[in-house]
């Protein structure tokens, strides 16, 4: 008998009847079963007959009917309280704390049902992300596992000042703002070092922080055991941040091959969010002003080239959308569409699947999820076809489990 187990009694759940992508290996495992304890931890993994024979007699059995089982998806660039310039964003930002928290909780629920079981929030308002994280952990709110940066940080008038970013000037300000996010419970720090597509009085290539300001954020965050990710557009600004110790890049709208080589050399991660420069219909639905839509879509060719440069340089890439993870986009969710774009840009399907599972967990720094192995959390999605051959198979997600609890089962609905 060959079964990996954790010692101790379990009266949880046994999953059978599936092919399995474990989050790392390219070949699907067949004929395997997974046992999950009451606390939502994988306690046994091996050949189906052996796992079933060793499981507790009263364990619940779920037969997935030949579906492909994958770790739950991880979306690394999320704003649950997204408030872009325009009509939809104005409604969100003008509400009370209670109003905004309800919007965020609804987005969290939709995200989980879409198969995203873990998110990394990179800029929210009023520290309501911290409250939402508490609610999800306590089981009061259905949502994905949350890692959050609290507020993003920017210079006076810098990117995000009118939404989720806190303004500062000079290294002392940025040291204090970084410590403030950590005091409130931030898991990482997000800093805006250049302009972007959502700021009316800036351009994507506008540099917004001096070296001593970037260095202050990075040093404090690292001293406190937090990683720093940067909203950044141009290579010239990013090159400076990389040499100061930056951990990760969001968007990277205008990255040269020299810069992506530098990223690879220094082990800097990349979250491309390629959807945000090609989602015209979403911008129309949000009622964004013409200048923002034109700037975003106009950035598309350079943004695409940046992703291709990163792929060619061997940069470590994690999947993130910036769009709401469950938003409708081209007949699927923004999360799945992002992954399809990543394949179109040159990544292999298996590498894209890793970018949304085990690689994303590595960037977060918590590998208790993102892969299917004994001791990991029981976060799963299931679908009919194999996403390691074609990520569009994720369009068929019909079953979602997080921490051992089934949140979605379309098979039950169809019966």
């Amino acid at each position: 008998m060959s079964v990996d187990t954790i010692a101790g009694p379990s009266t949880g759940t046994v999953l059978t009847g599936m092919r399995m992508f474990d989050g790392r290996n390219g070949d699907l495992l067949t004929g395997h079963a997974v046992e999950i304890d009451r606390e939502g931890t994988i306690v046994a993994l091996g050949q189906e007959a052996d796992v079933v024979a060793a499981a507790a007699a009263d364990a619940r059995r779920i037969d997935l009917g030949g579906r492909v089982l994958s770790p739950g998806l991880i979306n690394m660039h999320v704003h649950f309280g997204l408030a872009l310039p325009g009509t939809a964003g104005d409604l969100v930002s003008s509400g009370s704390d209670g109003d905004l928290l309800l919007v965020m909780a609804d987005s969290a629920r939709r995200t989980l049902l879409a198969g995203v079981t873990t998110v990394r929030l990179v800029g929210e308002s009023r520290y309501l992300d911290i409250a939402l994280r508490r609610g999800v952990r306590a089981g009061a709110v259905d949502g994905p596992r949350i890692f959050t940066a609290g507020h993003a940080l920017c210079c006076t008038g810098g990117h995000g000042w009118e939404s989720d970013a806190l303004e500062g000037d000079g290294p002392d300000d940025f040291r204090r703002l970084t410590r403030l996010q950590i005091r409130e419970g931030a898991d990482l720090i997000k800093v805006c070092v250049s302009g972007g597509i959502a700021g009316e009085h800036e351009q994507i290539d506008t540099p917004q922080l001096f070296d001593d300001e970037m260095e202050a954020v990075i040093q404090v965050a690292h001293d406190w055991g937090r990683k720093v990710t940067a909203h950044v557009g141009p290579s010239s600004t990013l090159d400076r941040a990389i040499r100061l110790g930056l951990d990760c890049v969001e968007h990277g709208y205008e990255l040269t091959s020299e810069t992506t080589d530098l990223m690879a050399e220094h082990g800097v991660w990349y979250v491309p969010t390629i959807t945000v420069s090609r989602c015209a219909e979403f911008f129309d639905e949000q009622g964004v002003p013409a200048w923002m839509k034109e700037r975003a879509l106009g950035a598309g060719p350079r943004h695409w080239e940046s992703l291709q440069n990163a792929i060619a340089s061997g940069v470590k890439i994690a999947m993130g959308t910036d769009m709401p993870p469950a938003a409708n986009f081209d007949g699927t969710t923004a999360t799945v569409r992002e992954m399809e774009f990543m394949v179109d840009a040159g990544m292999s399907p298996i590498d894209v699947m890793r970018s949304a599972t085990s690689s994303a967990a590595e960037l977060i720094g918590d590998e208790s999820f993102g892969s299917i192995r004994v001791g990991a959390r029981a976060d799963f999605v299931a679908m009919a076809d194999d996403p390691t051959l074609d990520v569009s198979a994720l369009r068929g997600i019909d079953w979602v489990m997080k921490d051992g609890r089934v949140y979605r089962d379309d098979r039950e609905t169809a019966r």
Side-chain angles (χ1 to χ4, degrees):
M1 182 172 74
S2 177
V3 180
D4 292 330
T5 64
I6 291 179
S10 170
T11 55
T13 302
V14 176
L15 305 181
T16 62
M18 71 279 191
R19 297 166 288 159
M20 186 190 306
F21 166 58
D22 67 4
R24 299 181 185 277
N25 297 309
D27 295 328
L28 296 187
L29 297 173
T30 58
H32 279 56
V34 177
E35 184 181 6
I36 305 153
D37 69 12
R38 291 175 177 174
E39 285 70 47
T41 299
I42 299 172
V43 293
L45 172 64
Q47 290 297 314
E48 184 172 306
D50 296 335
V51 172
V52 170
D58 60 348
R60 179 177 58 154
R61 310 293 171 90
I62 298 178
D63 187 333
L64 290 172
R67 284 168 172 76
V68 175
L69 187 73
S70 166
L73 302 178
I74 303 171
N75 193 316
M76 295 291 283
H77 191 118
V78 174
H79 303 277
F80 279 149
L82 183 67
L84 296 173
T87 53
D90 289 345
L91 287 174
V92 171
S93 60
S94 63
S96 67
D97 284 2
D99 294 330
L100 180 54
L101 190 55
L102 286 172
V103 168
M104 295 171 67
D106 180 63
S107 186
R109 180 185 64 84
R110 293 172 185 272
T111 294
L112 177 58
L113 294 178
V116 176
T117 54
T118 299
V119 294
R120 175 175 169 261
L121 304 183
V122 285
E124 300 289 354
S125 298
R126 315 176 206 175
Y127 299 111
L128 297 177
D129 49 319
I130 307 296
L132 181 62
R133 185 180 64 186
R134 285 198 301 269
V136 170
R137 286 177 175 174
V141 178
D142 288 348
R145 184 175 295 100
I146 292 174
F147 294 86
T148 186
H151 283 269
L153 310 181
C154 72
C155 67
T156 297
H159 185 77
W161 73 269
E162 67 275 67
S163 55
D164 56 55
L166 298 181
E167 296 171 291
D169 293 295
D172 287 344
D173 265 4
F174 279 97
R175 289 188 189 98
R176 181 178 182 278
L177 290 175
T178 302
R179 290 174 180 139
L180 182 60
Q181 303 320 296
I182 295 170
R183 185 187 76 180
E184 295 297 325
D187 302 295
L188 66 144
I189 300 298
K190 159 83 172 294
V191 61
C192 301
V193 302
S194 80
I197 64 175
E200 184 174 6
H201 305 297
E202 63 188 40
Q203 297 298 321
I204 288 173
D205 60 357
T206 305
Q208 294 189 348
L209 264 67
F210 293 110
D211 283 7
D212 59 353
E213 294 170 321
M214 291 190 286
E215 185 176 26
V217 172
I218 292 167
Q219 181 179 2
V220 171
H222 286 179
D223 284 349
W224 287 75
R226 305 309 197 273
K227 292 179 181 177
V228 179
T229 195
H231 164 103
V232 63
S235 285
S236 55
T237 301
L238 177 55
D239 289 353
R240 293 159 41 214
I242 290 171
R243 291 187 170 91
L244 292 170
L246 183 69
D247 299 296
C248 184
V249 174
E250 310 293 318
H251 312 304
Y253 296 114
E254 300 175 355
L255 304 184
T256 64
S257 58
E258 291 79 11
T259 292
T260 55
D261 284 347
L262 189 65
M263 291 170 65
E265 178 186 344
H266 287 260
V268 176
W269 287 79
Y270 184 33
V271 181
T273 71
I274 202 70
T275 58
V276 297
S277 59
R278 49 204 356 97
C279 56
E281 290 184 7
F282 175 72
F283 289 137
D284 290 340
E285 291 170 0
Q286 294 290 306
V288 305
W291 62 261
M292 180 182 167
K293 180 179 176 181
E294 291 169 3
R295 185 184 301 168
L297 301 182
R302 288 292 306 278
H303 195 189
W304 191 260
E305 182 181 323
S306 296
L307 174 54
Q308 291 184 314
N309 286 341
I311 295 168
S313 294
V315 173
K316 296 185 288 187
I317 297 175
M319 186 276 296
T321 56
D322 204 4
M323 285 178 64
N328 292 325
F329 188 18
D330 286 351
T332 185
T333 65
T335 297
V336 174
R337 194 69 186 100
E338 176 79 17
M339 296 173 72
E340 291 173 338
F341 280 137
M342 293 164 79
V343 171
D344 292 343
M347 292 180 69
S348 68
I350 183 65
D351 282 341
V352 172
M353 287 299 296
R354 293 184 184 116
S355 80
T357 54
S358 58
S359 292
E362 180 186 350
L363 172 54
I364 288 173
D366 185 344
E367 297 186 49
S368 65
F369 51 89
S371 61
I372 302 177
R373 56 179 178 77
V374 170
R377 303 302 297 167
D379 296 352
F380 305 122
V381 294
M383 67 226 79
D385 298 318
D386 182 358
T388 68
L389 298 178
D390 182 353
V391 296
S392 292
L394 295 168
R395 290 175 176 246
I397 288 173
D398 60 8
W399 188 87
V400 178
M401 172 181 276
K402 173 181 166 250
D403 286 331
R405 174 184 167 189
V406 177
Y407 285 86
R408 173 182 171 187
D409 188 349
D410 295 355
R411 304 170 309 156
E412 293 292 334
T413 304
R415 287 173 186 168

